[in-house]
Amino acid sequence: STLFSFTVMGISTAYFLTLVAVLLASLKRKDYSQAAVMVLGFASCGILYYYCWMGLGADTVDRLMKISPLLVGVVLGYAFYRIKKS
C-alpha cells in the first residue's frame, strides 16, 4: 500500500504540473471553457492526493517521513532547472 501510494503521489505530481501548464496556457489564450475543465482536473487530482496521503501512514509525521524523498527530489529538480535556465 505504501509503495502504491508513493508511486501515485509521484505520478500525480507530474499530472498536477501538466494541469497548471495547460491552465496557464488556456488563460493566456482567454479560453475560459478549457480553464473550467482544468478546474475539474484539479479537483480529481486533489481527491487522488488525499486518498494516497491517507494510505501512507497512521499520522502526519509518518506520512511526511515516507514522502520526504519525493519532496526533496522535486525541490532539487526545480533548483537544478532554475540554475540551468539562468
Side-chain angles (χ1 to χ4, degrees), residues 71-86:
L71 296 175
V72 169
V74 168
V75 170
L76 283 176
Y78 182 70
F80 289 149
Y81 169 74
R82 296 298 291 180
I83 290 169
K84 187 177 179 181
K85 187 177 177 182
S86 59

Side-chain angles (χ1 to χ4, degrees), residues 28-47:
K28 192 174 189 180
R29 290 182 310 211
K30 298 187 187 315
D31 186 7
Y32 298 114
S33 61
Q34 182 71 24
V37 172
M38 291 302 103
V39 170
L40 294 174
F42 283 119
S44 68
C45 191
I47 291 169

Side-chain angles (χ1 to χ4, degrees), residues 57-71:
D59 59 352
T60 304
V61 174
D62 189 31
R63 293 176 193 138
L64 284 174
M65 292 305 290
K66 287 181 180 175
I67 204 71
S68 62
L70 179 66
L71 296 175

